[in-house]
Amino acid sequence: MNAFDLSRLRPRLPSPLEPVEDERFARRGLTLLLKREDLIHPDLPGNKWRKLALNLEAAAGRPVLTFGGAYSNHLRATAAAGRLLGFPTVGVVRGDELAGRPLNPSLARCAADGMRLEFVDRATYRAKNDPAVLAALLDRAHAGAYVVPEGGSNALAARGCAELGRELAGAADAVAVACGTGGTLAGLAAGLAPGQRALGFPVLRGDFLGGEVRALQEAAFGGPRGDWSLDGRFHDGGYARVSPALEAFTRDFEERHELAIERLYVAKMLHGLVTLAEEGAFPPGTRIAAVVTGAPDGVQPSVSSR
């Protein structure tokens, strides 16, 4: 069987869609549903599976070179895919100061899965899309390596994430997802049916993401697709930042629904949804699907009991 045949990993597709009882929504006549992408596969959960599937088909078993920060879920998913499917992986990591330090748990997991880690200074990392910089990185990588961009977001990733939207056709009026590099939102919106809309909650500061989503849709589908919007109020100070207020909100949500919540993406999206509901942003009768893109580190995802 070819290395890029992901079917042998037996993904749970379509991912489950779970209704949850939450009075903050119910008292406004709203229905909250959780789209449990975290249950697709224990090593390639959520949008990581969606983004990588078509890219790994394109790589066809060749080595894969990709990019990420010191705590990148994308690097971990790519390394796991390499281990499970038997192809070499190289992770270009932002921050050459990390090279002489003990690996953090995230990077240690990548290394244990066989990923070769290459630490570069931040200026080089920012220039990673420059042809000369990329050529130099490829020269040091495996011959013939296939390049997947930071966060896994490219045209193939957006097309893979369109299947998420198609799975939700007719099941929800609005679909919310946390956004890092924009690939999941670009594909999700494209896959939704007319009358459905996608809400993106950026986890990074800055107003760049709208342009990224538009560019990804142009590359993947030839132009704009679907009804989507961004609400940039809930990044909580930027990537990998979790304030005491967000931590308190997340713990409360976990207690209400007996479900462990990932902090850097999922918690910010859920906080945004609860705030929008309290602001009256959704008319009564709206069915809202929240995409759970991953579980906290070290937690085996389980079905919500409430």
Side-chain angles (χ1 to χ4, degrees), residues 8 11 13 33 50 56 70 81 100 125 130 132 134 136 158 161 175 187 201 210 223 228 230 242 283:
R8 63 172 157 153
L13 292 171
L33 307 145
R50 307 276 188 187
L56 295 185
Y125 192 89
D130 179 275
L134 184 57
C161 290
V175 183
F201 293 94
W228 59 270
L230 293 165
V242 179

Side-chain angles (χ1 to χ4, degrees), residues 2 12 30 42 46 49 70 73 84 93 117 163-164 180 183-184 223 247 258 261 269 273 279 295 298-299:
N2 291 327
R12 187 176 182 181
L30 309 174
W49 179 282
N73 291 326
L84 292 167
V93 184
L117 300 173
E163 185 60 27
L164 167 60
T184 304
E247 179 64 26
E258 297 182 6
I261 298 298
M269 176 269 299
L273 271 186
E279 291 174 348
V299 174

Side-chain angles (χ1 to χ4, degrees), residues 141-271:
H142 294 272
Y146 177 87
V147 177
V148 177
E150 182 181 36
S153 287
N154 58 10
L156 289 178
R159 291 175 197 155
C161 290
E163 185 60 27
L164 167 60
R166 288 190 283 269
E167 287 180 15
L168 288 163
D173 305 297
V175 183
V177 66
C179 302
T181 51
T184 304
L185 178 63
L188 167 65
L192 291 174
Q196 295 179 295
R197 61 187 176 114
L199 308 174
F201 293 94
V203 301
L204 289 82
R205 291 184 294 177
D207 297 326
F208 65 92
L209 197 58
E212 295 292 324
V213 174
R214 287 188 287 271
L216 284 164
Q217 289 198 330
E218 178 69 33
F221 311 112
R225 291 291 186 277
D227 179 2
W228 59 270
S229 61
L230 293 165
D231 191 325
R233 295 178 290 163
F234 302 99
H235 55 70
D236 208 49
Y239 183 70
R241 295 189 179 181
V242 179
S243 67
L246 181 63
E247 179 64 26
F249 167 86
T250 307
R251 289 183 179 276
D252 175 71
F253 194 96
E254 291 177 324
E255 291 174 3
R256 289 170 185 260
H257 303 295
E258 297 182 6
L259 180 68
I261 298 298
E262 187 273 331
R263 265 55 173 174
L264 304 187
Y265 288 87
V266 179
K268 296 179 180 183
M269 176 269 299
L270 290 171
H271 182 217

Side-chain angles (χ1 to χ4, degrees), residues 89-165:
T89 57
V90 178
V92 179
V93 184
R94 179 179 60 248
D96 58 342
E97 73 277 6
L98 301 172
R101 301 177 185 174
L103 297 178
N104 66 36
S106 183
L107 292 177
R109 178 89 167 268
C110 292
D113 280 341
M115 175 173 274
R116 196 177 96 202
L117 300 173
E118 173 138 355
F119 299 92
V120 299
D121 63 80
R122 292 168 190 275
T124 299
Y125 192 89
R126 285 194 298 271
K128 60 186 175 297
N129 295 324
D130 179 275
V133 173
L134 184 57
L137 292 170
L138 286 169
D139 281 344
R140 298 196 294 270
H142 294 272
Y146 177 87
V147 177
V148 177
E150 182 181 36
S153 287
N154 58 10
L156 289 178
R159 291 175 197 155
C161 290
E163 185 60 27
L164 167 60

